[in-house]
Amino acid sequence: MSENWESIYITPLPHRAELAKALLSEHDIPAVVINKQSSSYPTIGWGKSEVHVLAKDAILAKVILDNEATFS
């Protein structure tokens, strides 16, 4: 990846990260989910899932999640 990506949303619940990614996709903002949870103990919830967007879209993405996300 040659472009800079920025973490804009962090959650211990992977499904919320996927919902955030889907919401951003509806606004034509490319996003990826980085799963940093422990695969050894997935039910305990150690770790976080992060949503990353291109740095140029970060401010708009944060505003969209703040104003339109109902899962937080």
Side-chain angles (χ1 to χ4, degrees):
M1 296 190 318
S2 61
E3 299 185 48
N4 292 329
W5 290 76
E6 185 174 322
S7 176
I8 58 150
Y9 182 70
I10 301 172
T11 179
L13 304 172
H15 65 279
R16 285 191 177 171
E18 292 295 337
L19 288 170
K21 177 184 171 185
L23 178 60
L24 294 172
S25 293
E26 289 177 7
H27 290 276
D28 297 320
I29 297 175
V32 294
V33 174
I34 307 295
N35 185 348
K36 293 187 175 182
Q37 292 188 324
S38 171
S39 60
S40 300
Y41 302 99
T43 57
I44 295 175
W46 288 344
K48 307 284 183 207
S49 292
E50 299 180 359
V51 178
H52 290 241
V53 298
L54 293 172
K56 67 179 181 71
D57 296 327
I59 294 172
L60 178 58
K62 289 177 187 178
V63 169
I64 290 170
L65 291 179
D66 287 344
N67 292 329
E68 295 187 26
T70 57
F71 52 84
S72 317

